[in-house]
Amino acid sequence: MKTKFLQVKTFNDVTLWNNLKDGDEKSFSILFEKYYGDLVNYGNSLSPYAEKVQDCVQDVFTDIWVYRNGLQNSVVVKAYLLSSVRKRIARLHERDHIFRKATSTDAISFLLEFSVENELIDDDYATKEKVVYLNKLLNELPARQKEALYLRYHQGLTVEQIADMLEVNYQSASNLLYRGLLTLRKEWKGNLSLIILLSLTTC
């Protein structure tokens, strides 16, 4: 099963996207399998309703297939999918009156908590103590800063892609990342790189 997963991850997104646009069901299925888990995890960070999140993710893929002829030729597939899930969940919130009605996705908050895995660091007790404190600092950040860090270091998105997803300009997205990192760097006194630790965090 793990081997199959790794094989799916190696398919080129551009090729899959173009084939999907041409009506290739296999390419569509591979994209679904490749990103479904990431999209559900991200959706769960924006809504506490797991079943509705799964419905939203499936609806995104359904729309992609149904409206494939109108899809853009050049997209960063992962960023496009994450953004589509975020927008659909925002509409869900509006429809269900869970949050205030809004025309943008700023009505939803990032809910998941970060956790740096101690076993990925070392067996040094002092280091683990610092990592526990880092987890606390991460999870006390404002929701938008947490989400920006998640998209940058978990999902590998660029600042420009994060700006598009959060519906802010480039400078605002950059500021979110900068402020989040600045807060963490003020407090993090460990030997390990903060950026490396962020890439090792789970949600």
Side-chain angles (χ1 to χ4, degrees):
M1 186 69 179
K2 185 176 181 179
T3 301
K4 181 181 178 183
F5 175 76
L6 291 174
Q7 289 175 342
V8 168
K9 285 290 185 181
T10 62
F11 280 100
N12 182 277
D13 283 357
V14 174
T15 300
L16 292 172
W17 186 257
N18 290 332
N19 289 345
L20 181 161
K21 281 174 55 64
D22 290 335
D24 181 40
E25 294 185 16
K26 182 177 180 181
S27 293
F28 172 78
S29 296
I30 291 171
L31 276 178
F32 181 89
E33 185 174 351
K34 184 176 183 179
Y35 287 119
Y36 180 79
D38 285 342
L39 296 176
V40 169
N41 287 338
Y42 179 54
N44 286 335
S45 76
L46 303 172
S47 172
Y49 305 100
E51 290 185 3
K52 290 185 178 181
V53 166
Q54 292 177 28
D55 289 342
C56 285
V57 173
Q58 291 171 8
D59 287 345
V60 164
F61 279 104
T62 298
D63 283 352
I64 286 174
W65 180 253
V66 171
Y67 302 108
R68 61 188 180 278
N69 292 329
L71 295 174
Q72 297 178 16
N73 291 321
S74 179
V75 299
V76 179
V77 175
K78 188 175 188 179
Y80 178 89
L81 292 173
L82 288 167
S83 180
S84 296
V85 168
R86 195 181 203 280
K87 290 175 181 176
R88 188 168 287 274
I89 289 175
R91 289 199 298 271
L92 177 69
H93 286 168
E94 293 172 19
R95 187 192 69 193
D96 292 348
H97 305 289
I98 297 171
F99 292 86
R100 63 177 175 84
K101 190 172 183 179
T103 57
S104 68
T105 58
D106 62 0
I108 56 181
S109 297
F110 191 79
L111 304 175
L112 290 187
E113 291 195 352
F114 287 101
S115 176
V116 179
E117 298 292 342
N118 285 338
E119 59 268 25
L120 296 177
I121 312 303
D122 56 31
D123 293 326
D124 180 68
Y125 179 77
T127 300
K128 289 187 175 182
E129 285 275 285
K130 293 174 183 176
V131 167
V132 170
Y133 184 53
L134 177 61
N135 284 334
K136 180 176 181 292
L137 292 174
L138 273 166
N139 292 309
E140 288 177 347
L141 291 174
R144 296 279 274 185
Q145 291 179 21
K146 282 176 62 178
E147 185 174 6
L149 290 172
Y150 170 85
L151 293 171
R152 184 74 182 96
Y153 297 104
H154 281 262
Q155 300 297 345
L157 271 57
T158 65
V159 178
E160 185 175 4
Q161 290 163 355
I162 293 170
D164 287 341
M165 284 193 60
L166 301 184
E167 298 184 353
V168 298
N169 60 38
Y170 181 95
Q171 188 58 52
S172 295
S174 181
N175 288 344
L176 286 171
L177 290 166
Y178 173 77
R179 289 168 185 159
L181 289 172
L182 183 63
T183 298
L184 298 177
R185 283 173 175 154
K186 282 181 178 178
E187 301 295 336
W188 176 246
K189 309 300 181 184
N191 295 323
L192 293 170
S193 164
L194 180 60
I195 301 302
I196 292 176
L197 285 174
L198 285 172
S199 68
L200 294 176
T201 58
T202 59
C203 289

